[in-house]
Amino acid sequence: MKRPLLITTGTMALAGLAFVLVNTLPGCRPTTTQTVVTGDAASKVYVKPGTHDEFYNMVSGGFSGQLAVYGLPSGRLLREVPVFSVDPETGYGYSEETKGMLMTSHGFIPWDDSHHPELSQTNGVPDGKWCFINGNNTPRIALIDLGTFRTHSIIEIPNSAGNHSSPFTTGNSEYVVAGTRFSVPMGDDAQRDVPISSYKETFKGTVSFIHPEPETGKMSIAFQIVTPAVDFDLSHAGKGPSEGWFFFSCYNTEQAYSLLEVNASQRDKDFIMAVNWKMAEQLAKEGKGKRVPGKHYSNWWNDKTHSSETTVIDDVLQLDPKEHPGLLYFMPCPKSPHGCDVDPTGKYIVGSGKLAALIPVFSFEKMQKAIAGNEVEGDFAGIPVLKYESVLHGEVKKPGLGPLHTEFDANGNAYTSFFVSSEIVKWNVEKLEVVDRVPTYYSIGHLCVPGGDSKQPWGKYVIAYNKITKDRYLPTGPELTQSAQLYSIDGDKMELLLDFPTTGEPHYAQAIPADLVKPREVKFFKIEENQHPYVAKGEKEARVERNGNEVHVWMTSIRSHFAPDNIEGVKLGDEVYFHVTNLEQDWDVPHGFAIKGAANAELLIMPGETQTLKWVPTRVGVWPMYCTDFCSALHQEMQGYVRVSPANSTVPLKGETVSVDAGV
Amino acid sequence: MMTACGGGDAANAGPPGAPTLEKETSSSEAASSSGKAKLLTDADVTLGDIDNGMVEKGKTTYDVKCQACHSMGENRVVGPGWKGITTRRKPEWIMNMIVNTDAMLAEDPEAQRQLEQCLVRMPNQNLSMDEARQVLEFMRTL
Ligand SMILES: [Cu+2]
């Protein structure tokens, strides 16, 4: 988000900050691109025409609610996967089959805000099977199947608000978590209708553990832990020695409910919350939890019926940590921590206090000792707070301003983004020493190293996802492109290679070697396996039927005609459902479908798939329909007509395709 | 409206020598060269007495995946009619047209001549070798 920065005279002197004022203070510009980019950068990002990139980069669309897929190192946009928002390119959220994916307990939500893509893992390493992403505003988690690059499953999170510290995964994707940003009052209507000023007494947070079924990708909430009222920001699972634990950064331990900018920035330290999820899992298994109200939708895409299936669940299993000592601990962490990142060895947890001027690194081993030795400094709303000194591995001193988020390479280095000083700082995790720094243009938020939050980072690049673009690209009015920047981390010095524009806000991203994903790709849907209730397997099955005022058209498309392409007998007052089956059985031959006056949308149908457009004619006449996806030399011939008669008409219903030389 | 195989805008025809999309390959090279597929030869296809079980299966496949473009008679729909096709074409040529479609359109003069007339690229409908053989058996009855 392009929010204005609060700049005081005291910070003006700091290099890196000044370019935020780039237009007013030309003299303070940082190093220019020319001096930063070295001669052979171009060859390092050049991907020869007809060849493929080395990595997939899954980048959130932020306020667009989608996920964009880029190739690295070229930065080429490959696909925008619709997730939490309708998509006029693919018909997602418009076709009758896909509408259900966006259903929630609040009804149909056409636009949400997506933040953190997280790749599924096997043995702590991204496996290329799925990509999860969180919907913030109406709390949901989505699972994208990397065989189809489609949203396969979406689950709503009850008793949640501002689903931000999500959807990070355990080492074998047993669970992905969803943590609340906003604490809210929960329970029945009377319990929820309370004065905002009763925040401390009545508001609660939750962290939910969601289980994706390995075979189907269907998701369910295994359990939900109730927490004191704070704001959770980000999270990460432990690994190796810390396997079985989950860490969440939290701010607003002041428990402010107004003007948080000031009121939630009072305390010296907020917390990292450590959750013993193995213990929670066990408690849930033993029936120690309580089922509480929490209506939520679970939507799943069925690849065989080419339709969404929705299940509504009324309650959720909750665990109260006050009843289960040992489940939760707080570790003090300086100043509103954002990133909460576990290094590849699983020994260290890095908190990035976005208002701090240092980076604290916690030791899991020390944390265990502190718990065993009861080294607590008190409690926060009933949860033990461990002593800062007891759990601290050490601090990186004066790394920069506004540390946000950290990822790692395989050589013991961490890369932390600094929003305020607009730079990436590389530092050694064991020694806590800064080894390199490089400016970003401008105001970096998250960053990404391929595999950089896993047990086995692939390294090679760090990518900066910037919040401000300013003068980097050709201007396009008040609204500018958002952007990312690719840096090489192969050498001792980080090296800027490429700027590339992005869609929406590139909030966070992950990258994975293309070879782990490519072999999974589905090229078309097998028509034999199509179980759509209105599939037409061949033109022989193409037909039109009336059911009251519903008219169903079983339609086929193939290069380059529809069957039927002449329909008569539709009357005003009818609802016409075009169920279009694409009969092609080869890669990259979608067909489209559009009809004049469709108040809803168009369709785009992949080979072997069936999709449905609902059309309610409002005027008598003969209405054209055609294929919208350029499919062959005769694409422009791929068209037909629907005749609409008055409500009392007796024109018989029929659909046909007439060939001038139909001999046989 | 379905005469096809005539008219149309030649400039918009599918790219000549478009990539051969081999089913099982995933390397970037696979998509970059055409005509790499190994064509079947006469030794790969043998015909015996007409097998009615195979004809039946071939007809089922035809209805779903071919009928939209090929009639069982002589008339052309999008592609040529199939009546008497096995007297006009060698069995392996027909099989290649079905399973190695892109390679045939890239290399075979007869297939190219048809494309020039029809201006729609025959799609690879991704039949297995067995399914293609069943369709061939069905064609023998036409
Ligand atoms: Cu078309």
Side-chain angles (χ1 to χ4, degrees):
Chain A
M1 241 90 348
K2 308 196 169 169
R3 51 179 105 83
L5 290 180
L6 208 69
I7 296 161
T8 64
T9 26
T11 52
M12 279 292 296
L14 290 157
L17 231 199
F19 52 71
V20 178
L21 307 174
V22 71
N23 297 324
T24 48
L25 285 176
C28 295
R29 273 178 183 249
T31 336
T32 62
T33 315
Q34 282 66 33
T35 60
V36 170
V37 177
T38 58
D40 59 349
S43 69
K44 291 183 183 161
V45 299
Y46 184 65
V47 178
K48 198 165 75 179
T51 62
H52 293 175
D53 278 289
E54 187 184 353
F55 292 94
Y56 282 99
N57 192 197
M58 318 295 180
V59 185
S60 90
F63 50 73
S64 83
Q66 317 292 47
L67 177 84
V69 182
Y70 300 82
L72 294 179
S74 73
R76 297 182 292 191
L77 174 63
L78 305 175
R79 181 121 213 90
E80 202 176 350
V81 180
V83 187
F84 294 114
S85 301
V86 297
D87 177 39
E89 186 180 342
T90 59
Y92 179 82
Y94 294 103
S95 70
E96 295 305 304
E97 290 82 355
T98 54
K99 281 178 181 169
M101 295 303 288
L102 298 175
M103 281 304 292
T104 72
S105 63
H106 301 271
F108 180 83
I109 306 263
W111 182 1
D112 205 315
D113 175 29
S114 66
H115 271 217
H116 311 116
E118 169 90 337
L119 294 159
S120 59
Q121 295 187 359
T122 302
N123 297 324
V125 181
D127 54 19
K129 187 175 173 189
W130 297 325
C131 183
F132 301 97
I133 189 164
N134 58 321
N136 259 330
N137 184 29
T138 300
R140 281 169 292 169
I141 302 288
L143 177 156
I144 292 137
D145 183 334
L146 296 183
T148 55
F149 279 79
R150 285 182 171 192
T151 302
H152 193 45
S153 189
I154 294 185
I155 190 162
E156 189 180 2
I157 316 297
N159 303 320
S160 172
N163 174 34
H164 192 272
S165 61
S166 325
F168 298 96
T169 182
T170 54
N172 287 297
S173 292
E174 299 95 333
Y175 300 106
V176 293
V177 299
T180 49
R181 166 178 163 190
F182 297 91
S183 286
V184 285
M186 295 169 195
D188 58 27
D189 281 3
Q191 287 168 310
R192 293 201 317 272
D193 180 17
V194 295
I196 298 169
S197 59
S198 70
Y199 184 102
K200 271 191 184 135
E201 299 78 47
T202 57
F203 286 38
K204 293 270 175 275
T206 59
V207 294
S208 302
F209 284 69
I210 294 142
H211 174 67
E213 255 178 47
E215 293 302 315
T216 61
K218 282 184 184 166
M219 293 190 284
S220 57
I221 300 175
F223 50 87
Q224 184 169 72
I225 302 172
V226 194
T227 73
V230 290
D231 289 30
F232 294 108
D233 207 340
L234 283 166
S235 60
H236 264 103
K239 39 175 112 77
S242 54
E243 168 97 45
W245 287 77
F246 226 104
F247 305 95
F248 292 81
S249 54
C250 31
Y251 62 103
N252 191 22
T253 56
E254 294 84 355
Q255 301 191 306
Y257 46 84
S258 181
L259 196 65
L260 264 64
E261 181 180 15
V262 175
N263 298 340
S265 307
Q266 299 297 309
R267 284 168 59 116
D268 250 13
K269 293 197 176 63
D270 293 283
F271 297 132
I272 287 197
M273 181 175 83
V275 180
N276 185 340
W277 67 261
K278 283 277 183 198
M279 177 178 171
E281 183 182 56
Q282 188 59 30
L283 290 168
K285 243 187 230 146
E286 289 167 4
K288 300 275 168 58
K290 206 164 72 185
R291 293 215 75 91
V292 302
K295 183 171 172 180
H296 59 286
Y297 274 53
S298 179
N299 307 321
W300 182 68
W301 183 254
N302 183 329
D303 273 336
K304 296 287 179 280
T305 60
H306 302 287
S307 305
S308 59
E309 292 172 12
T310 289
T311 316
V312 183
I313 304 109
D314 286 323
D315 55 10
V316 62
L317 186 73
Q318 263 189 0
L319 292 166
D320 184 348
K322 283 196 215 126
E323 294 168 9
H324 305 291
L327 192 59
L328 293 192
Y329 294 93
F330 284 125
M331 301 194 280
C333 181
K335 295 251 156 206
S336 303
H338 187 63
C340 182
D341 302 293
V342 181
D343 85 315
T345 69
K347 293 196 321 206
Y348 302 114
I349 302 118
V350 178
S352 305
K354 60 182 184 260
L355 305 179
L358 56 82
I359 306 172
V361 181
F362 301 96
S363 152
F364 181 74
E365 197 186 330
K366 285 187 165 182
M367 183 190 106
Q368 290 302 82
K369 278 196 193 129
I371 292 172
N374 198 28
E375 295 168 47
V376 294
E377 62 173 44
D379 76 294
F380 180 83
I383 307 297
V385 181
L386 302 170
K387 282 193 183 135
Y388 182 62
E389 295 70 25
S390 303
V391 291
L392 191 72
H393 163 60
E395 292 169 343
V396 186
K397 304 276 198 231
K398 297 221 178 290
L401 283 186
L404 267 197
H405 172 224
T406 302
E407 296 218 337
F408 306 89
D409 66 19
N411 310 317
N413 298 306
Y415 300 80
T416 301
S417 58
F418 286 81
F419 177 75
V420 179
S421 53
S422 192
E423 59 187 333
I424 298 174
V425 174
K426 174 179 173 182
W427 51 278
N428 182 288
V429 179
E430 277 295 341
K431 295 187 194 142
L432 303 164
E433 278 167 9
V434 171
V435 292
D436 191 23
R437 61 177 69 236
V438 45
T440 64
Y441 306 90
Y442 306 100
S443 297
I444 179 175
H446 281 273
L447 50 67
C448 155
V449 172
D453 76 339
S454 77
K455 254 183 171 170
Q456 189 203 86
W458 287 284
K460 199 153 180 174
Y461 304 109
V462 62
I463 308 105
Y465 300 95
N466 297 320
K467 303 294 185 198
I468 292 173
T469 308
K470 287 281 184 207
D471 57 355
R472 298 292 286 185
Y473 294 89
L474 283 178
T476 52
E479 195 182 340
L480 301 171
T481 184
Q482 305 255 344
S483 81
Q485 294 186 286
L486 180 79
Y487 298 79
S488 162
I489 56 171
D490 276 344
D492 287 339
K493 302 290 286 174
M494 291 180 279
E495 187 192 345
L496 175 59
L497 300 179
L498 180 75
D499 277 24
F500 60 99
T502 64
T503 64
E505 183 219 345
H507 188 90
Y508 173 52
Q510 294 209 331
I512 183 168
D515 288 343
L516 290 180
V517 178
K518 278 204 273 181
R520 295 176 184 274
E521 291 321 286
V522 172
K523 299 198 162 92
F524 59 90
F525 299 103
K526 293 204 173 94
I527 187 89
E528 295 87 342
E529 295 174 4
N530 184 323
Q531 295 166 15
H532 192 288
Y534 291 94
V535 63
K537 294 192 185 178
E539 291 189 357
K540 275 189 134 177
E541 298 183 3
R543 63 190 183 279
V544 187
E545 281 178 18
R546 172 179 292 283
N547 178 9
N549 74 332
E550 283 182 9
V551 173
H552 290 272
V553 186
W554 280 253
M555 186 180 270
T556 62
S557 63
I558 194 149
R559 281 166 274 183
S560 285
H561 62 277
F562 295 108
D565 67 4
N566 279 204
I567 297 169
E568 300 198 355
V570 173
K571 296 183 280 189
L572 280 187
D574 285 346
E575 291 180 345
V576 186
Y577 292 85
F578 295 97
H579 309 284
V580 187
T581 301
N582 180 347
L583 292 178
E584 311 269 357
Q585 288 291 279
D586 200 3
W587 205 14
D588 198 17
V589 208
H591 287 285
F593 179 79
I595 181 154
K596 185 176 170 183
N600 177 18
E602 301 170 8
L603 294 176
L604 184 68
I605 314 119
M606 294 301 128
E609 192 182 36
T610 306
Q611 289 289 284
T612 303
L613 183 74
K614 179 179 167 181
W615 181 61
V616 184
T618 55
R619 284 182 237 169
V620 167
V622 175
W623 304 103
M625 60 188 190
Y626 67 99
C627 171
T628 51
D629 188 295
F630 202 105
C631 53
S632 82
L634 296 169
H635 163 72
Q636 203 64 2
E637 278 71 13
M638 192 160 177
Q639 64 174 54
Y641 291 106
V642 180
R643 174 180 168 192
V644 176
S645 306
N648 58 0
S649 144
T650 55
V651 176
L653 187 69
K654 70 169 181 190
E656 58 187 10
T657 307
V658 195
S659 177
V660 286
D661 59 353
V664 180
Chain B
M1 191 48 248
M2 276 185 37
T3 37
C5 292
D9 180 0
N12 291 331
T20 307
L21 302 172
E22 287 153 282
K23 231 199 301 194
E24 300 308 335
T25 41
S26 62
S27 77
S28 51
E29 284 72 32
S32 64
S33 71
S34 63
K36 251 183 24 183
K38 213 169 148 285
L39 295 181
L40 302 168
T41 65
D42 55 355
D44 297 316
V45 191
T46 45
L47 303 181
D49 290 341
I50 288 190
D51 177 330
N52 285 322
M54 281 171 73
V55 170
E56 192 82 357
K57 288 186 181 141
K59 169 79 162 69
T60 308
T61 302
Y62 163 79
D63 280 341
V64 180
K65 297 184 178 174
C66 322
Q67 180 270 343
C69 300
H70 293 287
S71 81
M72 294 190 277
E74 277 159 8
N75 63 304
R76 202 177 261 163
V77 182
V78 180
W82 281 358
K83 192 169 181 60
I85 180 170
T86 51
T87 60
R88 281 185 280 123
R89 305 278 182 211
K90 293 216 176 91
E92 66 274 15
W93 188 93
I94 293 178
M95 289 288 285
N96 279 324
M97 202 57 199
I98 304 173
V99 297
N100 294 314
T101 320
D102 288 306
M104 289 292 277
L105 292 178
E107 284 173 3
D108 184 90
E110 258 312 294
Q112 285 174 335
R113 198 185 52 74
Q114 284 189 352
L115 174 58
E116 276 167 29
Q117 283 176 9
C118 296
L119 289 174
V120 171
R121 287 178 71 86
M122 151 87 183
N124 183 339
Q125 288 288 67
N126 276 294
L127 266 52
S128 69
M129 208 56 93
D130 284 349
E131 288 168 330
R133 183 62 189 78
Q134 289 155 3
V135 173
L136 173 62
E137 201 69 359
F138 166 63
M139 285 172 169
R140 293 175 71 197
T141 67
L142 301 175

